[in-house]
């Protein structure tokens, strides 16, 4: 285990706290996953890059990690105030498709993005519809003391638990932005645990329950799956900053009710010891909103020819708690930085790494790396430590490789599997025959070696006609670009 204690920012206390596991030697983490009614945008993926960095850091620190990410395929409404439609039902109706097909399609699209961004597989993908019975049992156990039934369903009375809304730091009663849109609610902040199918409405997904046919509330599912798979209390619950206001505040209230816990002054009464939130990726023209028609999917970046790990690099250059503004120029800068690192790593390609990483030249670099990651996951500084290590000269290459691998296991930039050719910008719309380009370049090299400049120039023109620019002497080592 590395020595520097791991400090993380706990949204519940708004403080940096030393990570102390509930179960010695273990780390149990739950991450709110996507609602699979549409493709994720790259902002959503920032949340999973963050959770991945947290998981990798805990593994690197020597904890046995159990990470659960859920897939919400039921229950998430179009409106946080419990009045909207179910996002899944709405999309299925719009597309005239089965809800199960919609869920499968977008879950697979999300998993493809997870893989492309080198996000590690969690121990479990918890699919919400697999846990309906457990949700009904959970709801039954808290119904008498904490819930009330009205026409539209079973509601949680937030006045029955202590410190409701502590996470959001909101005034509970006149909770900002809350619309009392459901008739019969006792408090504006009360939320649905079970939503009855309204008479005359046809739902594709509904289940029988003591409160009538219907579907679970979205907050209920995360409480149930996290508690079932990780056991209350577990270590860390993560999500995007928007969840701090309502979703997680409601999960906490349910967890308190379920566990019979009192005040949130006790760390574990919320169900998890720490609640961590990543800030948003923002984009000025509003392309981050899924309702705005075309939005920023990872696939769009790929179509424009960018390697997905350039986006991972972009995320890691910022601290997860700060807002990050997306721009194509920013993405390109991240790509160039990644390329420089890959080129430096390529020099170590044929060297096996040594077992040990102890070496006086690397000790201060490793300390810088460890301090940065231990300081609330400061990846921005950690990347510079990785660059420092790659820049060390006249040192045993095996040790250097071992040091770089050690850091990259935490950052996940995959430096030893990427090649500079992988990182070339290849827009999908351009038809290029790379074999032909490489062949022409090889012929040109021969001609130049033979000082046959007429032939070499002719080949350069031949390439230019294909839209390829030959880049002799480019410091970044691109032999050609489109
Ligand atoms: P959803 O599928 O809407 O439940 O969102 C999936 C995850 O993405 C949640 O953890 C959200 O908090 C997070 N999220 C949503 N928008 C953004 C954004 N623009 N930047 C970063 N995270 C986001
Ligand atoms: Zn959740």
């Amino acid at each position: 285990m590395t020595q520097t204690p791991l400090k993380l920012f706990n949204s519940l206390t708004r403080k940096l706290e030393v990570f102390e596991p509930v179960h010695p030697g273990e780390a149990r983490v739950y991450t709110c996953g996507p609602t699979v009614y549409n493709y994720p945008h790259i902002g959503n993926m920032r949340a999973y890059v963050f959770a991945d960095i947290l998981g990798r850091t805990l593994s690197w620190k020597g904890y046995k990690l159990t990470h659960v990410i859920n897939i919400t395929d039921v229950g998430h409404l179009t409106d946080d105030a419990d009045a909207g439609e179910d996002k899944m039902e709405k999309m299925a109706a719009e597309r005239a498709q089965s809800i199960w097909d919609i869920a499968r399609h977008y879950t697979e699209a999300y998993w493809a993005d997870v893989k492309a961004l080198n996000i590690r597989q969690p121990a479990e993908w918890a699919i919400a519809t697999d846990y309906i019975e457990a949700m009904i049992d959970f709801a039954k156990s808290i119904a008498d003391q904490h819930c009330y039934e009205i026409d539209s369903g079973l509601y949680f009375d937030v006045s029955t638990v202590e410190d409701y809304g502590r996470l959001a730091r909101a005034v509970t009663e006149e909770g900002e932005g809350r619309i009392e849109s459901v008739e019969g609610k006792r408090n504006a902040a009360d939320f649905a645990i079970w939503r009855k199918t309204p008479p005359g409405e046809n739902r594709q997904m509904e289940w029988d329950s003591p409160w009538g046919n219907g579907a679970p509330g979205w907050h209920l599912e995360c409480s149930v799956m996290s508690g079932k798979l990780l056991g209350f209390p577990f270590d860390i619950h993560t999500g995007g900053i928007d969840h701090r206001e309502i979703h997680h505040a409601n999960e906490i209230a349910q967890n308190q009710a379920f566990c019979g816990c009192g005040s949130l002054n006790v760390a574990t009464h919320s169900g998890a010891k720490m609640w961590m939130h990543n800030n948003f990726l923002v984009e000025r023209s509003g392309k981050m909103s899924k309702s705005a028609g075309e939005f920023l999917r990872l696939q769009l970046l790929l179509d424009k020819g960018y390697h997905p790990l350039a986006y991972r690099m972009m995320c890691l250059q910022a601290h997860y708690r700060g807002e990050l503004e997306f721009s194509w120029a920013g993405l390109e800068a991240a790509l160039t930085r990644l390329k420089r690192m890959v080129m430096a790593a390529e020099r170590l390609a044929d060297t096996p790494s040594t077992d040990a990483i102890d070496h006086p030249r690397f000790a201060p670099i490793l300390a810088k790396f460890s301090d940065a990651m231990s300081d609330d996951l400061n990846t921005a500084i950690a990347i510079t430590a990785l660059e420092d290590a790659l820049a060390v000269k006249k040192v045993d290459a095996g040790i250097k490789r071992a040091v770089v691998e050690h850091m990259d296991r935490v950052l996940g930039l995959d430096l030893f599997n990427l090649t500079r050719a992988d990182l070339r910008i290849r827009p999908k719309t351009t038809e290029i025959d790379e074999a032909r380009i490489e062949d022409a370049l090889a012929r040109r090299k021969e001609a130049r070696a033979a000082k046959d400049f007429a032939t070499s120039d002719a080949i350069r023109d031949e390439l230019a006609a294909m839209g390829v620019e030959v880049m002799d002497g480019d410091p970044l080592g691109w032999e050609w670009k489109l």
Side-chain angles (χ1 to χ4, degrees):
M1 241 180 244
T2 13
Q3 289 313 306
T4 331
L6 176 61
K7 279 200 218 128
L8 300 170
F9 187 81
N10 185 355
S11 297
L12 197 54
T13 57
R14 299 288 199 275
K15 279 193 192 121
L16 277 177
E17 292 172 9
V18 173
F19 175 74
E20 275 160 7
V22 175
H23 305 272
E26 275 193 53
R28 303 186 186 182
V29 179
Y30 183 89
T31 294
C32 279
T35 307
V36 285
Y37 71 105
N38 204 338
Y39 295 107
H41 55 53
I42 55 172
N44 298 133
M45 297 314 294
R46 186 182 186 201
Y48 307 108
V49 169
F50 152 64
D52 181 52
I53 287 290
L54 173 65
R56 285 173 181 263
T57 302
L58 290 162
S59 299
W60 164 66
K61 291 269 179 192
Y63 298 107
K64 180 178 165 282
L65 175 72
T66 309
H67 192 184
V68 173
I69 307 180
N70 75 285
I71 300 286
T72 295
D73 54 357
V74 64
H76 195 168
L77 300 188
T78 51
D79 172 343
D80 266 331
D82 277 330
E85 295 164 83
D86 188 298
K87 287 187 177 183
M88 298 292 301
E89 293 272 348
K90 182 164 179 267
M91 185 56 109
E94 272 172 26
R95 296 273 177 84
Q97 266 181 309
S98 131
I99 214 164
W100 301 100
D101 288 344
I102 300 263
R104 188 174 326 110
H105 177 77
Y106 293 114
T107 302
E108 275 165 14
Y110 164 68
W111 282 339
D113 287 1
V114 162
K115 186 156 182 263
L117 291 169
N118 203 23
I119 292 166
R120 297 196 306 182
Q121 289 289 316
E124 184 119 23
W125 293 107
I127 315 284
T129 47
D130 289 344
Y131 291 83
I132 303 291
E133 235 172 273
M135 293 181 210
I136 293 172
D137 288 345
F138 185 114
K140 273 193 203 157
S141 77
I142 62 171
D144 287 351
Q145 280 190 46
H146 298 277
C147 305
Y148 56 94
E149 208 176 328
I150 52 180
D151 285 349
S152 56
L154 185 71
Y155 279 73
F156 191 95
D157 180 341
V158 299
S159 69
T160 62
V161 292
E162 281 181 63
D163 301 327
Y164 176 77
R166 156 102 43 118
L167 183 71
R169 299 273 158 108
V171 194
T172 30
E173 248 332 284
E174 264 82 47
E176 270 175 77
R178 298 254 163 98
I179 317 142
E180 191 154 9
S181 45
V182 177
E183 194 152 337
K185 269 181 21 170
R186 292 181 189 162
N187 312 287
D190 291 354
F191 55 90
I193 291 265
W194 189 263
R195 292 171 298 115
K196 291 186 208 179
T197 307
E201 197 178 300
N202 252 336
R203 288 186 57 104
Q204 285 195 45
M205 278 186 178
E206 60 173 8
W207 294 265
D208 190 24
S209 84
W211 318 281
N213 263 359
W218 172 43
H219 318 300
L220 179 64
E221 63 191 57
C222 283
S223 277
V224 169
M225 292 186 284
S226 63
K228 255 218 141 26
L229 293 166
L230 299 174
F232 290 130
F234 56 93
D235 294 297
I236 305 174
H237 194 310
T238 82
I241 191 90
D242 53 330
H243 288 350
R244 200 178 67 179
E245 312 309 321
I246 296 175
H247 181 48
H248 289 171
N250 292 351
E251 271 190 54
I252 288 173
Q254 294 168 157
N255 298 350
Q256 280 173 287
F258 182 78
C259 303
C261 287
S263 140
L264 294 178
N265 293 333
V266 179
T268 50
H269 282 185
S270 70
K273 240 177 146 176
M274 286 181 166
W275 293 75
M276 292 178 70
H277 297 97
N278 63 277
N279 211 322
F280 265 33
L281 179 79
V282 294
E283 201 264 345
R284 278 180 212 189
S285 66
K287 290 235 163 29
M288 212 67 77
S289 159
K290 294 186 203 177
S291 52
E294 187 197 68
F295 60 87
L296 275 171
R297 286 172 55 192
L298 190 63
Q299 188 59 47
L300 184 64
L301 275 51
L302 304 187
D303 290 349
K304 288 195 188 268
Y306 291 94
H307 195 281
L309 292 181
Y311 176 63
R312 183 177 175 102
M313 175 64 118
M314 190 178 182
C315 291
L316 301 191
Q317 289 183 145
H319 192 268
Y320 76 88
R321 279 200 284 131
E323 223 173 55
L324 171 61
E325 182 162 334
F326 178 81
S327 71
W328 293 102
L331 182 65
E332 189 143 351
L335 175 79
T336 301
R337 191 172 186 192
L338 181 59
K339 170 128 199 263
R340 284 185 205 280
M341 293 169 82
V342 166
M343 283 170 63
E346 271 178 355
R347 288 185 211 117
L348 306 168
D350 300 325
T351 317
S353 52
T354 54
D355 292 335
I357 54 171
D358 311 318
H359 189 283
R361 300 277 300 281
F362 289 111
I365 297 175
L366 284 164
K368 173 178 165 184
F369 180 82
S370 173
D371 288 350
M373 290 311 295
S374 305
D375 180 17
D376 197 26
L377 315 176
N378 196 332
T379 49
I381 306 244
I383 294 171
T384 67
L386 184 45
E387 286 169 328
D388 293 347
L390 284 164
V392 171
K393 298 217 164 60
K394 296 194 183 117
V395 72
D396 182 280
I399 294 180
K400 180 165 165 175
R401 179 164 179 150
V403 169
V404 172
E405 280 176 353
H406 176 86
M407 297 185 195
D408 197 24
R409 254 194 298 279
V410 185
L411 296 175
L413 293 170
D414 210 17
L415 294 180
F416 288 104
N417 289 317
L418 279 179
T419 65
R420 66 178 82 184
D422 292 337
L423 296 176
R424 175 169 283 125
I425 299 178
R426 289 186 180 79
K428 197 178 138 196
T429 45
T430 35
E431 292 285 332
I432 51 163
D433 182 344
E434 288 205 22
R436 222 180 117 202
I437 295 171
E438 294 299 342
D439 174 65
L441 284 169
R443 282 188 286 120
R444 181 167 173 271
K445 208 169 169 184
E446 265 173 40
R448 274 159 69 98
K451 301 212 164 20
D452 178 358
F453 296 113
T455 306
S456 143
D457 287 349
I459 298 173
R460 176 189 276 267
D461 294 344
E462 179 193 321
L463 284 161
M466 295 195 271
V468 174
E469 184 190 338
V470 181
M471 297 173 77
D472 292 325
D474 170 46
L476 265 176
W478 294 119
E479 285 96 5
W480 54 273
K481 78 172 185 191
L482 289 167

Coordinates of all heavy atoms in Angstrom, one line a residue, residues 31-48 72 76 87 110 218 238-244 247-248 277-283 288-290 311 324, ligand 1:
T31 N -21.8 3.7 -8.3 CA -21.9 4.8 -9.2 C -23.2 4.8 -9.9 O -23.6 3.8 -10.5 CB -20.7 4.7 -10.3 OG1 -19.5 4.8 -9.6 CG2 -20.9 5.7 -11.4
C32 N -23.9 6.0 -9.9 CA -25.2 6.1 -10.6 C -24.9 6.0 -12.1 O -24.2 6.8 -12.6 CB -25.9 7.4 -10.3 SG -26.7 7.4 -8.7
G33 N -25.6 5.0 -12.7 CA -25.3 4.8 -14.1 C -26.3 5.5 -15.0 O -27.1 6.3 -14.5
P34 N -26.2 5.2 -16.3 CA -27.0 6.0 -17.3 C -28.5 5.5 -17.3 O -28.8 4.4 -17.0 CB -26.4 5.7 -18.6 CG -25.8 4.3 -18.4 CD -25.4 4.2 -17.0
T35 N -29.4 6.4 -17.7 CA -30.7 6.1 -18.0 C -30.7 5.8 -19.5 O -30.3 6.7 -20.3 CB -31.7 7.2 -17.7 OG1 -31.5 7.6 -16.4 CG2 -33.1 6.8 -17.9
V36 N -31.0 4.5 -19.9 CA -30.7 4.1 -21.3 C -31.9 4.3 -22.2 O -32.3 3.4 -22.9 CB -30.2 2.6 -21.3 CG1 -28.8 2.5 -20.8 CG2 -31.2 1.7 -20.4
Y37 N -32.3 5.6 -22.3 CA -33.3 5.9 -23.3 C -32.8 6.6 -24.5 O -33.5 7.0 -25.4 CB -34.4 6.9 -22.6 CG -33.9 8.3 -22.3 CD1 -34.3 9.4 -23.1 CD2 -33.0 8.5 -21.3 CE1 -33.8 10.6 -22.8 CE2 -32.5 9.8 -21.0 CZ -32.9 10.8 -21.8 OH -32.4 12.1 -21.6
N38 N -31.5 6.9 -24.4 CA -30.8 7.6 -25.5 C -29.3 7.4 -25.4 O -28.9 6.8 -24.4 CB -31.1 9.1 -25.4 CG -31.0 9.8 -26.7 OD1 -30.3 9.3 -27.7 ND2 -31.6 11.0 -26.9
Y39 N -28.5 7.8 -26.4 CA -27.1 7.7 -26.3 C -26.6 8.6 -25.2 O -27.1 9.7 -24.9 CB -26.4 8.1 -27.6 CG -26.8 7.3 -28.8 CD1 -27.6 7.7 -29.8 CD2 -26.2 6.0 -28.9 CE1 -28.0 6.9 -30.8 CE2 -26.6 5.2 -29.9 CZ -27.4 5.6 -30.9 OH -27.8 4.8 -32.0
P40 N -25.5 8.2 -24.5 CA -24.9 9.1 -23.6 C -24.2 10.2 -24.3 O -23.7 10.0 -25.4 CB -23.8 8.2 -22.8 CG -23.6 7.1 -23.7 CD -24.8 6.9 -24.6
H41 N -24.1 11.4 -23.8 CA -23.2 12.4 -24.4 C -21.9 12.4 -23.7 O -21.7 11.7 -22.6 CB -23.9 13.8 -24.4 CG -24.4 14.3 -23.1 ND1 -23.6 14.4 -22.0 CD2 -25.6 14.8 -22.7 CE1 -24.3 14.9 -21.0 NE2 -25.5 15.2 -21.4
I42 N -20.9 13.2 -24.2 CA -19.6 13.1 -23.6 C -19.6 13.6 -22.2 O -18.7 13.3 -21.4 CB -18.5 13.7 -24.5 CG1 -18.8 15.1 -24.8 CG2 -18.3 12.9 -25.8 CD1 -17.7 15.8 -25.6
G43 N -20.5 14.5 -21.8 CA -20.6 15.0 -20.5 C -20.9 13.8 -19.5 O -20.3 13.6 -18.5
N44 N -21.9 13.0 -19.9 CA -22.2 11.8 -19.1 C -21.0 11.0 -18.9 O -20.7 10.5 -17.8 CB -23.3 10.9 -19.8 CG -24.6 11.6 -20.0 OD1 -25.2 11.6 -21.1 ND2 -25.1 12.3 -18.9
M45 N -20.2 10.8 -20.0 CA -19.1 9.9 -19.9 C -18.0 10.5 -19.0 O -17.2 9.7 -18.5 CB -18.5 9.6 -21.3 CG -19.5 8.9 -22.3 SD -20.3 7.4 -21.5 CE -18.9 6.3 -21.2
R46 N -18.0 11.8 -18.8 CA -17.0 12.4 -17.9 C -17.3 11.8 -16.5 O -16.4 11.6 -15.7 CB -17.2 13.9 -17.8 CG -16.1 14.6 -16.9 CD -16.3 16.1 -16.8 NE -15.1 16.6 -16.0 CZ -15.0 17.7 -15.4 NH1 -16.1 18.6 -15.4 NH2 -14.0 18.1 -14.8
A47 N -18.6 11.6 -16.2 CA -18.9 11.0 -14.8 C -18.3 9.6 -14.7 O -17.9 9.2 -13.6 CB -20.4 10.9 -14.7
Y48 N -18.2 8.8 -15.8 CA -17.7 7.5 -15.6 C -16.2 7.5 -15.7 O -15.5 6.6 -15.1 CB -18.4 6.6 -16.7 CG -19.9 6.7 -16.5 CD1 -20.7 7.3 -17.5 CD2 -20.5 6.3 -15.3 CE1 -22.0 7.5 -17.3 CE2 -21.8 6.5 -15.1 CZ -22.6 7.1 -16.1 OH -23.9 7.3 -15.8
T72 N -30.1 2.2 -15.5 CA -31.5 2.6 -15.3 C -32.4 2.3 -16.5 O -32.3 3.1 -17.5 CB -31.6 4.1 -14.8 OG1 -30.9 4.2 -13.6 CG2 -33.1 4.5 -14.6
H76 N -36.9 6.5 -14.4 CA -36.4 7.9 -14.4 C -37.4 8.7 -15.2 O -37.6 8.5 -16.3 CB -35.0 7.9 -15.1 CG -34.2 9.2 -14.8 ND1 -32.9 9.3 -15.1 CD2 -34.6 10.4 -14.3 CE1 -32.5 10.5 -14.8 NE2 -33.5 11.2 -14.3
K87 N -38.8 8.3 -18.8 CA -38.0 8.6 -20.0 C -38.0 7.4 -20.9 O -38.0 7.6 -22.1 CB -36.6 8.9 -19.5 CG -36.4 10.3 -18.9 CD -34.9 10.6 -18.6 CE -34.8 12.0 -18.1 NZ -33.4 12.4 -17.9
Y110 N -23.7 2.5 -24.7 CA -23.0 3.1 -23.5 C -21.8 2.2 -23.2 O -20.7 2.7 -23.0 CB -24.0 3.1 -22.3 CG -23.3 3.3 -21.0 CD1 -22.6 4.4 -20.6 CD2 -23.3 2.2 -20.0 CE1 -22.0 4.6 -19.4 CE2 -22.7 2.3 -18.8 CZ -22.1 3.5 -18.5 OH -21.5 3.6 -17.2
W218 N -37.3 6.3 -9.4 CA -35.9 6.2 -9.7 C -34.9 6.2 -8.5 O -33.9 5.4 -8.5 CB -35.6 7.4 -10.7 CG -34.1 7.6 -11.0 CD1 -33.2 6.7 -11.4 CD2 -33.5 8.9 -11.1 NE1 -32.0 7.3 -11.7 CE2 -32.2 8.6 -11.5 CE3 -33.9 10.2 -10.9 CZ2 -31.2 9.7 -11.7 CZ3 -32.9 11.2 -11.0 CH2 -31.6 11.0 -11.5
T238 N -21.0 7.7 -6.0 CA -20.6 8.8 -6.9 C -21.7 9.1 -7.9 O -22.6 8.3 -8.1 CB -19.3 8.4 -7.7 OG1 -19.7 7.6 -8.8 CG2 -18.3 7.7 -6.9
G239 N -21.6 10.2 -8.5 CA -22.5 10.7 -9.5 C -22.2 12.1 -10.0 O -21.2 12.7 -9.4
G240 N -22.9 12.6 -11.0 CA -22.6 13.9 -11.4 C -23.2 14.9 -10.4 O -24.1 14.6 -9.6
I241 N -22.7 16.2 -10.5 CA -23.1 17.2 -9.5 C -24.6 17.5 -9.4 O -25.1 17.8 -8.4 CB -22.3 18.5 -9.8 CG1 -22.4 19.5 -8.7 CG2 -22.7 19.1 -11.1 CD1 -21.3 19.4 -7.7
D242 N -25.3 17.2 -10.5 CA -26.8 17.5 -10.6 C -27.5 16.5 -9.6 O -28.5 16.8 -9.1 CB -27.3 17.3 -12.0 CG -27.0 16.0 -12.6 OD1 -25.9 15.5 -12.3 OD2 -27.7 15.5 -13.5
H243 N -26.9 15.4 -9.3 CA -27.5 14.4 -8.4 C -27.4 14.8 -7.0 O -28.1 14.2 -6.1 CB -26.9 13.0 -8.6 CG -27.3 12.4 -9.9 ND1 -28.2 12.9 -10.7 CD2 -26.8 11.2 -10.5 CE1 -28.4 12.1 -11.8 NE2 -27.5 11.1 -11.7
R244 N -26.6 15.8 -6.7 CA -26.4 16.2 -5.3 C -27.6 16.8 -4.8 O -27.9 16.8 -3.6 CB -25.2 17.2 -5.3 CG -24.6 17.4 -3.9 CD -23.4 18.3 -4.1 NE -23.9 19.7 -4.4 CZ -23.0 20.7 -4.6 NH1 -21.7 20.5 -4.4 NH2 -23.5 21.9 -4.9
H247 N -31.6 13.6 -6.5 CA -31.5 12.2 -6.5 C -30.8 11.6 -5.3 O -31.3 10.7 -4.6 CB -30.9 11.8 -7.8 CG -30.7 10.3 -8.0 ND1 -31.8 9.4 -7.8 CD2 -29.7 9.5 -8.4 CE1 -31.4 8.2 -8.1 NE2 -30.1 8.2 -8.4
H248 N -29.7 12.1 -5.0 CA -28.9 11.6 -3.9 C -29.5 12.0 -2.5 O -29.4 11.3 -1.5 CB -27.4 11.9 -4.0 CG -26.8 11.2 -5.1 ND1 -25.5 11.4 -5.5 CD2 -27.2 10.2 -5.9 CE1 -25.2 10.6 -6.5 NE2 -26.2 9.8 -6.8
H277 N -19.0 13.8 -6.1 CA -19.7 14.3 -7.3 C -18.7 15.0 -8.3 O -17.9 15.8 -7.9 CB -20.8 15.3 -7.0 CG -21.9 14.6 -6.2 ND1 -21.9 14.7 -4.8 CD2 -22.9 13.9 -6.5 CE1 -23.0 14.0 -4.3 NE2 -23.6 13.5 -5.4
N278 N -18.8 14.6 -9.6 CA -18.0 15.3 -10.6 C -18.8 16.5 -11.1 O -20.0 16.5 -11.2 CB -17.7 14.3 -11.8 CG -18.9 13.9 -12.5 OD1 -19.6 12.9 -12.1 ND2 -19.3 14.5 -13.6
N279 N -18.0 17.5 -11.4 CA -18.7 18.7 -12.0 C -19.0 18.4 -13.5 O -18.6 17.4 -14.1 CB -17.8 19.9 -11.8 CG -18.6 21.2 -11.7 OD1 -19.6 21.3 -12.4 ND2 -18.2 22.1 -10.9
F280 N -19.6 19.4 -14.1 CA -20.1 19.2 -15.5 C -19.1 19.5 -16.6 O -18.2 20.3 -16.4 CB -21.4 20.1 -15.7 CG -22.7 19.3 -15.5 CD1 -22.7 18.3 -14.5 CD2 -23.8 19.6 -16.2 CE1 -23.9 17.7 -14.3 CE2 -25.0 18.9 -16.0 CZ -25.0 18.0 -15.1
L281 N -19.3 18.8 -17.7 CA -18.6 19.2 -18.9 C -19.6 20.2 -19.6 O -20.8 19.8 -19.7 CB -18.4 18.0 -19.8 CG -17.7 18.3 -21.2 CD1 -16.2 18.5 -21.0 CD2 -18.0 17.2 -22.1
V282 N -19.2 21.3 -20.0 CA -20.1 22.3 -20.6 C -19.7 22.6 -22.0 O -18.5 22.5 -22.4 CB -20.2 23.6 -19.7 CG1 -20.9 23.3 -18.4 CG2 -18.9 24.3 -19.6
E283 N -20.7 23.1 -22.7 CA -20.4 23.4 -24.1 C -21.3 24.6 -24.5 O -22.5 24.6 -24.2 CB -20.6 22.2 -25.0 CG -19.9 22.3 -26.3 CD -20.8 22.8 -27.5 OE1 -22.1 22.9 -27.3 OE2 -20.3 23.2 -28.5
M288 N -24.8 19.8 -25.4 CA -24.6 18.7 -24.4 C -26.0 18.2 -23.9 O -26.1 17.3 -23.1 CB -23.8 19.3 -23.2 CG -23.0 18.2 -22.5 SD -21.7 17.7 -23.6 CE -20.6 19.1 -23.4
S289 N -27.0 18.9 -24.5 CA -28.3 18.5 -24.0 C -28.9 17.5 -25.0 O -29.0 17.7 -26.2 CB -29.2 19.7 -23.9 OG -30.6 19.3 -24.0
K290 N -29.4 16.3 -24.4 CA -29.9 15.3 -25.3 C -31.2 15.7 -26.0 O -31.6 15.1 -27.0 CB -30.1 14.0 -24.5 CG -28.9 13.4 -24.0 CD -29.2 12.1 -23.3 CE -28.1 11.7 -22.3 NZ -28.3 10.5 -21.6
Y311 N -10.1 12.2 -25.6 CA -11.2 12.8 -24.8 C -10.9 12.4 -23.3 O -11.1 13.3 -22.4 CB -12.6 12.4 -25.2 CG -13.6 12.9 -24.2 CD1 -13.8 14.2 -24.1 CD2 -14.3 12.0 -23.4 CE1 -14.7 14.7 -23.1 CE2 -15.2 12.5 -22.5 CZ -15.4 13.9 -22.3 OH -16.3 14.3 -21.4
L324 N -15.6 21.8 -16.8 CA -14.7 21.7 -17.9 C -15.4 22.1 -19.1 O -16.5 21.6 -19.4 CB -14.2 20.2 -18.0 CG -13.4 19.8 -19.2 CD1 -12.1 20.6 -19.3 CD2 -13.1 18.3 -19.2
Ligands
LIG1 P1 -28.2 10.3 -16.8 O1 -28.1 9.2 -17.8 O2 -28.9 11.5 -17.2 O3 -28.7 9.8 -15.5 O4 -26.7 10.8 -16.5 C1 -25.6 10.0 -16.3 C2 -24.6 10.6 -15.4 O5 -24.0 11.8 -16.1 C3 -25.0 11.2 -14.1 O6 -24.1 10.9 -13.1 C4 -25.1 12.7 -14.3 O7 -25.0 13.4 -13.1 C5 -23.9 12.9 -15.2 N1 -24.0 14.1 -16.1 C6 -25.0 14.6 -16.8 N2 -24.7 15.6 -17.5 C7 -23.3 15.8 -17.3 C8 -22.4 16.8 -17.8 N3 -22.7 17.7 -18.7 N4 -21.1 16.7 -17.4 C9 -20.8 15.7 -16.5 N5 -21.6 14.8 -16.0 C10 -22.9 14.8 -16.4

